[in-house]
């Protein structure tokens, strides 16, 4: 019998369906320095690559996932997945290195179609795009709203209070005595910019502070000329100053403007434009451990990052209303450091910290959900103790993590659990799903609602 010719309308439908088959999902992974972004992205690729063996296998639409391809060809600055894997699967295992520049992740997922649709089109593809970057850069977003004089005022008020006042020490006085209208001294300016960088480093390492600006002083990234990073806040200045060419003020202001309008704006556009969904990763446990000032700074830092959404013509806030970002996952990271029954309390403390910002985001029509997350579980539970390896040591330790309050008190005074420096678990391999907490729930929620 001769093969039946396919009616033309079926061919046309097939052609259209093929055109519709490729979907894009841009996920913004937003997190301050050390929040766990790189480990999370590595874990995400690992869970997707091993979807058949992990918890995703039982969850729609991943039960129809046929193939996963981590794309490198044609991707500018691809994410160093293999380097991260090499560190994690080393003997002894190491965490991925802290990020020093922007990189991109592109993952293509191919889903099998079922039922009637499968006649028209056998597969649908989803391209997931994510950026990784040093967390320090995120803290520059609020600069988009400031001019140089306002920034100087803000820095003066930050340096007036502890712990920044003590950390800055003599630098604060040096910056305060400079007359902004006097002629600039390039060599001294260079020294002061170096001293400001050292101040930011100490704020981060000694006091666990989050708001360390300008972030590129800590991690410049490629393509930023070092001389453009030579400016400091002139503490005697204010928003009303106007100064002639060649003055301290003019020199610092010009570089501040370049920093704000090209470097920060460029990153903002790259990170925040065209996002479909967003994952906010927050290491809540370290600042809870460090104490009240670290928590206060974290709160202010996250609020200002979330507020960046509201500003500007190209603001996310407007897209929330449209709404373009339809889902925001808020995740307390590294919760494997506490007992499983304490993990929800860590998440609750994070949501307590961000109550106002999150209700504004919800008000804008965005779905918000919390996930106490561990992208990579470094601990194992045995009875009421946790078992894990410590960084720089062999063997395992058994310990009981301290308590986590059910809620964050309003004055942010908490006794956090004592944290140990854990190393990743032994025996990780690219072709086995990593142990984790709730990565499957999060990944499932991120793609929910995408027609696949
Ligand atoms: N126990 C545990 N520790 C984690 C986990 N994820 C990250 N960490 C720890 O947190 C550190 C920082 O994680 P990264 O993934 O490098 O964080 P990041 O947000 O990429 O940091 P930057 O690149 O510096 O902005 C790691 O070196 C680990 O010590 C996790 O799932 N569990
Ligand atoms: Mg990183």
């Amino acid at each position: 019998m001769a093969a039946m010719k396919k009616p033309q309308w079926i061919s046309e439908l097939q052609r259209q369906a093929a055109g519709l088959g490729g979907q894009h999902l841009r996920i913004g992974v937003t997190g301050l320095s050390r929040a766990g972004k790189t480990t999370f992205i590595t874990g995400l690729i690992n869970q997707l690559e091993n979807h058949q063996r992990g918890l995703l296998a039982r969850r729609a639409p991943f039960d129809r996932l046929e193939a996963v391809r981590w794309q490198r060809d044609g991707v500018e600055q691809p994410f160093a997945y293999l380097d991260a894997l090499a560190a994690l699967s080393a003997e002894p295992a190491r965490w991925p290195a802290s990020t020093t520049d922007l990189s991109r992740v592109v993952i293509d997922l191919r889903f099998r179609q079922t039922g009637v649709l499968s006649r028209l089109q056998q597969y649908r593809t989803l391209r997931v795009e994510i950026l990784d970057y040093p967390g320090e850069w995120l803290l520059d977003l609020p600069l988009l709203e400031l001019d140089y004089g306002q920034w100087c005022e803000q820095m003066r008020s930050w340096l007036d209070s502890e712990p920044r006042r003590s950390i800055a020490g003599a630098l604060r006085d040096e910056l305060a005595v400079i007359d902004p209208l006097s002629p600039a001294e390039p060599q001294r300016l260079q020294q002061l910019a170096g001293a400001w960088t050292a101040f930011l480093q100490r704020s981060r390492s000694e006091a666990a502070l989050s708001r360390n600006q300008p972030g590129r002083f800590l991690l410049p990234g490629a393509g930023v000329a070092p001389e453009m990073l030579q400016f400091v806040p002139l503490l005697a200045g204010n928003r009303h100053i106007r100064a002639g060419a060649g003055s301290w003020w003019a020199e610092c202001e010009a570089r501040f403007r370049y920093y704000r309008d090209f470097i920060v704006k460029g990153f903002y556009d790259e990170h925040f434009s065209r996002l479909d969904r967003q994952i906010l990763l927050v290491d809540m446990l370290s600042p809870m451990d460090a104490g009240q000032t670290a928590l206060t700074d974290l709160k202010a830092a996250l609020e200002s990052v979330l507020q960046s959404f509201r500003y500007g013509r190209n603001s996310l806030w407007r897209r929330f209303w449209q709404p373009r970002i339809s889902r925001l996952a808020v995740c307390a990271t590294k919760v494997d450091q506490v007992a499983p029954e304490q993990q929800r309390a860590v998440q609750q403390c994070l949501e307590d910290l961000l109550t106002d910002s999150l209700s504004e985001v919800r008000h804008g029509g965005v779905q918000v959900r919390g996930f106490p997350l561990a992208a990579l579980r470094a601990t194992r539970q045995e009875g009421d103790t946790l078992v894990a390896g410590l960084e720089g040591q062999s063997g395992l330790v058994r310990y009981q993590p301290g308590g986590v309050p059910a809620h964050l008190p309003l004055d942010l005074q908490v006794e956090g659990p004592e944290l140990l420096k854990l190393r990743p678990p032994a025996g990780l391999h690219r072709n086995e799903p990593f142990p984790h907490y709730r990565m499957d729930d999060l990944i499932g929620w991120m793609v929910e609602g995408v027609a696949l």
Side-chain angles (χ1 to χ4, degrees):
M1 201 172 73
M4 258 195 350
K5 197 167 176 291
K6 217 185 270 176
Q8 207 181 347
W9 65 271
I10 292 194
S11 316
E12 175 56 20
L13 263 183
Q14 278 179 333
R15 202 185 57 72
Q16 284 185 7
L20 291 173
Q23 301 238 34
H24 256 79
L25 191 66
R26 292 191 184 81
I27 300 181
V29 174
T30 306
L32 305 181
S33 143
R34 315 301 284 157
K37 299 179 294 299
T38 303
T39 308
F40 168 77
I41 293 169
T42 308
L44 175 77
I45 303 175
N46 166 272
Q47 296 302 330
L48 289 171
E49 282 197 336
N50 294 289
H51 61 98
Q52 280 161 333
R53 270 171 295 169
L55 294 173
L56 279 179
R58 283 181 262 140
R59 177 190 284 275
F62 298 96
D63 50 352
R64 289 188 283 113
L65 183 55
E66 290 252 308
V68 175
R69 184 173 50 180
W70 162 56
Q71 272 278 16
R72 276 153 293 173
D73 297 343
V75 176
E76 216 184 305
Q77 298 170 281
F79 178 70
Y81 180 46
L82 297 181
D83 292 347
L85 283 172
L88 290 170
S89 48
E91 185 56 55
R94 286 176 281 111
W95 295 100
S98 185
T99 309
T100 55
D101 213 338
L102 192 77
S103 69
R104 287 160 222 278
V105 183
V106 177
I107 311 166
D108 286 330
L109 308 177
R110 198 160 91 133
F111 292 90
R112 193 177 59 248
Q113 289 282 47
T114 51
V116 186
L117 288 175
S118 62
R119 289 210 185 165
L120 296 171
Q121 183 195 37
Q122 266 185 308
Y123 296 102
R124 274 179 89 81
T125 59
L126 176 67
R127 168 162 286 196
V128 179
E129 289 184 32
I130 299 176
L131 284 188
D132 192 25
Y133 53 87
E136 281 81 359
W137 296 3
L138 210 56
L139 266 306
D140 284 337
L141 296 185
L143 294 184
L144 291 172
E145 297 307 307
L146 300 179
D147 60 32
Y148 176 62
Q150 290 169 313
W151 186 61
C152 292
E153 289 174 14
Q154 192 173 73
M155 290 303 110
R156 190 173 59 225
S157 85
W158 288 11
L159 288 185
D160 278 347
S161 48
E162 293 297 351
R164 287 191 173 85
R165 191 185 176 106
S166 303
I167 298 172
L171 175 63
R172 178 169 164 270
D173 304 325
E174 277 186 68
L175 292 172
V177 296
I178 296 172
D179 174 4
L181 305 184
S182 64
E185 301 157 60
Q187 204 126 40
R188 191 157 160 229
L189 177 54
Q190 191 181 349
Q191 278 164 7
L192 286 170
W196 187 261
T197 309
F199 156 71
L200 297 180
Q201 267 154 356
R202 292 184 58 203
S203 302
R204 185 176 61 179
S205 62
E206 290 172 21
L209 297 182
S210 300
R211 292 180 299 168
N212 306 310
Q213 284 173 357
R216 302 273 178 153
F217 280 36
L218 293 169
L219 276 164
V224 180
E227 60 274 17
M228 294 318 287
L229 297 181
Q230 277 167 29
F231 61 94
V232 286
L234 296 171
L235 302 181
N238 60 55
R239 67 188 72 186
H240 306 296
I241 289 196
R242 301 285 170 270
S247 62
W248 275 93
W249 189 263
E251 288 294 308
C252 287
E253 187 187 31
R255 288 181 184 138
F256 176 88
R257 277 189 194 203
Y258 173 84
Y259 189 87
R260 181 193 63 193
D261 297 342
F262 292 95
I263 302 179
V264 182
K265 181 70 168 53
F267 173 61
Y268 179 83
D269 289 346
E270 187 106 50
H271 179 55
F272 288 114
S273 66
R274 303 172 297 132
L275 286 185
D276 302 299
R277 306 210 162 161
Q278 192 171 22
I279 299 176
L280 179 66
L281 299 179
V282 185
D283 174 3
M284 193 59 194
L285 286 164
S286 307
M288 279 173 84
D289 197 33
Q292 194 192 24
T293 49
L295 273 175
T296 309
D297 212 56
L298 174 71
K299 179 179 163 73
L302 289 173
E303 276 174 353
S304 64
V305 166
L306 286 169
Q307 263 184 13
S308 309
F309 300 160
R310 276 184 246 167
Y311 295 127
R313 300 177 89 227
N314 197 20
S315 75
L316 280 193
W317 191 242
R318 268 173 57 126
R319 287 198 217 112
F320 277 156
W321 284 95
Q322 286 180 357
R324 170 89 196 228
I325 286 190
S326 50
R327 292 187 172 198
L328 170 66
V330 177
C331 311
T333 53
K334 319 180 196 178
V335 296
D336 55 311
Q337 295 176 98
V338 297
E341 59 278 10
Q342 295 173 322
Q343 294 176 0
R344 297 227 171 253
V346 181
Q347 178 70 29
Q348 184 58 54
C349 288
L350 168 60
E351 292 180 27
D352 290 343
L353 191 77
L354 297 180
T355 304
D356 291 331
S357 302
L358 293 182
S359 48
E360 291 222 34
V361 173
R362 281 197 183 93
H363 197 70
V366 178
Q367 292 183 54
V368 180
R369 193 180 284 181
F371 296 87
L373 198 72
L376 181 49
R377 255 170 88 167
T379 59
R380 197 175 71 228
Q381 195 186 16
E382 278 185 16
D384 57 358
T385 60
L386 294 179
V387 180
L390 299 185
E391 258 177 350
Q393 294 181 24
S394 56
L396 297 173
V397 292
R398 185 182 294 273
Y399 69 102
Q400 275 185 322
V404 177
H407 274 287
L408 203 60
L410 285 178
D411 63 4
L412 305 184
Q413 208 135 30
V414 280
E415 286 280 313
E418 196 103 332
L419 298 179
L420 300 176
K421 277 196 173 306
L422 306 180
R423 63 169 191 263
L428 296 176
H429 190 277
R430 177 175 181 180
N431 294 330
E432 294 286 341
F434 293 170
H436 64 88
Y437 279 112
R438 300 181 194 85
M439 284 292 277
D440 54 323
D441 292 341
L442 173 62
I443 298 170
W445 194 63
M446 278 290 112
V447 302
E448 203 179 86
V450 178
L452 291 168

